Amino acid sequence: MVYQRAKGFEDKRPFGTQEKVYEAGYSWLTHSVAPVHFNDFDFRVKIGGPQCLQLYSASLYNISAMSFGALSANAISALNLGAKMGGFAHDTGEGGISRYHRKAGGDLIYEIGSGYFGCRNDDGSFNPEKFAAQAADDQIKMIEVKLSQGAKPGHGGVLPASKITPEIAEARGVPMGQDCESPAAHSAFKTPIEFCEFLGELRRLSNGKPIGFKLCIGHLREFLCMVKAMIKTGIVPDFIVVDGTEGGTGAAPLEFANHVGMPMVEGLSFVHNSLRGAGLRDQVRIGAAGKLVTAFDIARAMSLGADWCNSARGYMFPIGCIQAQACHTNHCPVGVATQDPLRQRALNVDDKSKRVARFHANTMKALGEMAGAAGLNDPRDFLPYHFMSRKADGQLIEGQDAYPYLPTGFLLTDDGGDYGYRSRWNRATAESFAAVPL
Ligand SMILES: Cc1cc2nc3c(=O)[nH]c(=O)nc-3n(C[C@H](O)[C@H](O)[C@H](O)COP(=O)(O)O)c2cc1C
């Protein structure tokens, strides 16, 4: 489907569904007898709370974080040019802002991981001056602190010296000839309060650009610690991206890819309801990522609380990914995930960038058609009750019963209701991520 949408070929199906509609897990959108017709499919969301000075009007479907280093120069160039043509955002990934991110001038989200690439001191710690210089670039629309990614949460990474080219060293601000480490933990903060203060510093240093963070939910209490720190410091992020364990990666240990971190649906619902419970939901936009490829995937994520969606592998197909699953070998046969100059020649930037833009545009059109079928005037109006699913026993469950929106402010008063959050909320502290005894 992605190849067809990216090439602008017919994406219709003849004869009917091949889904097993009476089996567990099947889910569908409830449509309206009064559908809405759209002519304009450029759906957008404004990102930036009250503390932000430079709001960003983001598309509802953007390119998720993938570093130069994981992806080739031609891949990054094609993605950024596609994003420029289609008017959507391209996340740099944690490997810094390379010359290939900058060439076409498409909107960038600058991701900062624990290696602080592009804004680090020689010892690997965060460098405020370098960050301010990077963030001042008009092409950088938002700043995203990476706490974790779904495919390998809690696991750092090492780019071996043998893979570091002069251009990677330039983008990351690291020396050639040495292994380049992304530690598992950040050094710029240790506690929830320090984390919020770091976000506040980034906001100040970037002259008020939208600041947010990305994580895959692990210990639920730790996220509530962050929420308490937001309340205590008054420093509220402009956005949070929730990644699911089903998310992609260039390389991850099998145990981490398969069995560490919360799947996107539960993580997203938890983040959405925690912010509602703390009365902060209206200040923070939520992005979601994790196998969100069709308009149905996007619509369902939006119904669970996402304000927009990101896709990594979804955007790899338009630039030629054939799922060879050789990203970690430097031998990607189609030039997408390799630094080998010869292999990269397989990826024609002009041709593939058009496919990136077309895939985005056709996905937005499909999303508009789904919203229209549900009788909605905007895809952001999807709510849980627009979806139904079949459970293991064959019975139906309605979206609002499976993933209800909890009352605004329920965590702020002792009698606000439990909903399975209360004991963790009571054990969460703004001062420390450490667990307190039960
Ligand atoms: C090749 C590749 C490289 C990635 N690099 C990063 C990265 O640098 N930083 C990050 O936060 N996530 C990274 N991710 C994860 C994605 O940004 C995203 O969170 C996840 O893949 C979502 O799943 P999807 O591929 O199903 O869309 C990477 C994913 C892939 C496939």
Side-chain angles (χ1 to χ4, degrees):
M1 189 211 66
V2 177
Y3 293 145
Q4 283 167 299
R5 288 193 172 156
K7 290 176 185 169
F9 290 175
E10 180 63 77
D11 62 353
K12 308 285 184 295
R13 288 282 182 277
F15 223 64
T17 185
Q18 294 183 9
E19 298 282 316
K20 306 269 189 286
V21 303
Y22 296 102
E23 288 192 357
Y26 176 73
S27 64
W28 69 94
L29 171 77
T30 63
H31 63 279
S32 166
V33 292
V36 174
H37 177 75
F38 290 92
N39 291 313
D40 180 4
F41 298 96
D42 187 21
F43 305 115
R44 297 203 163 256
V45 53
K46 282 218 163 50
I47 305 177
Q51 297 162 0
C52 170
L53 302 176
Q54 305 189 46
L55 300 193
Y56 178 56
S57 172
S59 165
L60 297 194
Y61 195 48
N62 301 294
I63 303 172
S64 198
M66 290 182 284
S67 306
F68 172 54
L71 298 190
S72 68
N74 279 359
I76 297 287
S77 299
L79 289 173
N80 194 260
L81 181 55
K84 169 96 179 166
M85 290 191 288
F88 52 102
H90 176 197
D91 192 314
T92 60
E94 66 183 290
I97 311 165
S98 72
R99 56 179 67 195
Y100 303 104
H101 285 102
R102 297 188 199 270
K103 208 157 69 180
D107 289 356
L108 288 176
I109 298 166
Y110 178 24
E111 184 180 78
I112 303 172
S114 56
Y116 307 112
F117 297 124
C119 56
R120 63 192 251 132
N121 296 311
D122 291 345
D123 64 359
S125 56
F126 175 72
N127 180 308
E129 290 77 31
K130 287 186 186 167
F131 170 78
Q134 297 273 30
D137 187 338
D138 190 45
Q139 199 186 344
I140 309 293
K141 301 301 180 191
M142 308 208 291
I143 315 292
E144 176 180 289
V145 177
K146 175 186 172 181
L147 295 181
S148 54
Q149 79 181 78
K152 49 176 177 179
H155 196 275
V158 178
L159 193 63
S162 59
K163 283 197 171 170
I164 302 180
T165 63
E167 287 168 347
I168 290 179
E170 173 191 69
R172 297 191 178 211
V174 299
M176 296 280 295
Q178 289 175 23
D179 289 351
C180 170
E181 200 196 345
S182 289
H186 276 263
S187 56
F189 52 87
K190 296 274 177 256
T191 70
I193 286 180
E194 285 173 13
F195 175 51
C196 285
E197 287 170 346
F198 182 59
L199 298 179
E201 193 189 359
L202 297 182
R203 189 181 272 135
R204 185 180 58 75
L205 291 167
S206 68
N207 200 14
K209 289 192 175 173
I211 306 293
F213 63 94
K214 166 178 177 172
L215 85 172
C216 173
I217 291 292
H219 295 318
L220 302 172
R221 178 189 47 77
E222 289 181 353
F223 182 74
L224 297 176
C225 290
M226 295 178 212
V227 173
K228 280 200 168 167
M230 291 172 206
I231 295 172
K232 193 148 200 172
T233 59
I235 303 170
V236 178
D238 298 295
F239 68 93
I240 298 174
V241 175
V242 183
D243 201 20
T245 192
E246 63 268 53
T249 175
L254 193 73
E255 291 84 348
F256 279 74
N258 286 348
H259 294 293
V260 184
M262 188 173 268
M264 187 274 295
V265 165
E266 283 81 7
L268 173 60
S269 177
F270 173 73
V271 166
H272 172 64
N273 278 322
S274 301
L275 292 173
R276 282 175 68 88
L280 296 173
R281 182 64 184 89
D282 56 345
Q283 296 182 47
V284 186
R285 298 283 189 231
I286 300 179
K291 290 196 175 173
L292 301 176
V293 178
T294 69
F296 180 74
D297 300 333
I298 298 171
R300 203 168 45 161
M302 304 205 75
S303 81
L304 296 171
D307 291 296
W308 88 91
C309 295
N310 291 336
S311 174
R313 287 166 296 179
Y315 280 102
M316 286 172 72
F317 298 128
I319 58 173
C321 174
I322 54 166
Q323 300 189 65
Q325 300 188 19
C327 316
H328 60 307
T329 64
N330 211 24
H331 292 145
C332 171
V334 287
V336 173
T338 176
Q339 299 304 310
D340 180 338
L342 190 65
R343 287 170 190 274
Q344 283 187 55
R345 285 170 45 193
L347 199 163
N348 180 305
V349 173
D350 279 344
D351 179 38
K352 293 299 198 298
S353 56
K354 290 190 192 102
R355 294 189 188 186
V356 170
R358 242 187 255 120
F359 168 58
H360 172 268
N362 284 329
T363 304
M364 289 297 90
K365 183 162 182 281
L367 181 65
E369 287 174 347
M370 293 215 80
L376 305 176
N377 291 313
D378 192 299
R380 293 188 53 215
D381 296 338
F382 279 117
L383 289 167
Y385 74 80
H386 292 117
F387 292 85
M388 287 198 176
S389 309
R390 196 176 293 289
K391 295 189 290 179
D393 61 4
Q395 297 299 307
L396 303 185
I397 182 156
E398 301 193 31
Q400 73 271 27
D401 294 331
Y403 301 104
Y405 283 18
L406 300 180
T408 296
F410 79 91
L411 288 169
L412 300 177
T413 54
D414 287 341
D415 57 358
D418 184 290
Y419 305 107
Y421 286 62
R422 184 66 57 187
S423 86
R424 286 194 180 89
W425 179 251
N426 289 342
R427 283 187 292 124
T429 67
E431 286 74 23
S432 170
F433 285 116
V436 290
L438 282 169

